[in-house]
Amino acid sequence: MKSQATASVDVPPKESSALVEPKDSPHPHIRSFALRRGRFTQGQRRAFDQLLPVFGIPYTKAPIDLVRAFNRDAPTVFEIGCGMGETTVAIARSRPDLNFLGAEVFAAGVGALLKSVEQHEVTNVRIVYHDAVEVVRDMIAPGSLAGIHIFFPDPWPKK
């Protein structure tokens, strides 16, 4: 295994339009996270910039065509809050018969997940860099998922 540089770069995440409160909505938006400034390692930043266009699915207000997104027809498991992606990649490697779709709002976590996807040559993972509440509401068609994973729902206290 090659050793990776561990230097980190303090860079604010590229702001996704999904991470901004909607101003024209008649209903209050449920925020399932507290957005804070992240720290990217150089490897995470490279993976985010280069691999998000390959393995990312842009947020839209339309259901995802899962067959097209994964280039195959397989049951899909949705993971809310992939974090740094260690569990996502481990499960995806152990279950190549399933597709894994993650939603994550922290850019460094998305970068880490994508770096691991590349390192392990995982082909059955896709990521939406967006708020899971909106992804579920707008992008997941009823009856389209085989399961949902929520492993660590951000348990520490926030403001």
Side-chain angles (χ1 to χ4, degrees), residues 24-99:
D24 59 349
S25 175
H27 305 287
H29 178 70
I30 298 168
R31 286 205 84 151
S32 59
F33 61 93
L35 192 59
R36 53 191 181 271
R37 189 174 179 96
R39 293 184 65 83
F40 269 140
T41 66
Q42 291 174 349
Q44 290 167 347
R45 170 55 88 180
R46 181 205 55 81
F48 185 93
D49 291 342
Q50 293 178 5
L51 299 175
L52 190 59
V54 177
F55 295 100
I57 298 173
Y59 168 78
T60 62
K61 288 190 174 190
I64 300 169
D65 179 342
L66 294 170
V67 172
R68 185 170 177 229
F70 287 91
N71 297 313
R72 68 184 194 149
D73 188 7
T76 300
V77 175
F78 181 59
E79 184 172 351
I80 297 174
C82 307
M84 301 303 272
E86 300 97 338
T87 301
T88 308
V89 170
I91 294 172
R93 290 179 73 198
S94 73
R95 294 298 310 267
D97 57 312
L98 298 176
N99 293 331

Side-chain angles (χ1 to χ4, degrees), residues 13-22 29-37 80-83 103-107 128-135 152-159:
K14 292 179 181 180
E15 189 167 293
S16 168
S17 62
L19 305 181
V20 178
E21 293 288 340
H29 178 70
I30 298 168
R31 286 205 84 151
S32 59
F33 61 93
L35 192 59
R36 53 191 181 271
R37 189 174 179 96
I80 297 174
C82 307
E104 180 58 60
V105 296
F106 298 106
V128 181
Y129 174 48
H130 198 83
D131 181 1
V133 172
E134 293 180 1
V135 172
F152 299 100
D154 205 19
W156 57 87
K158 305 291 188 288
K159 286 184 184 178

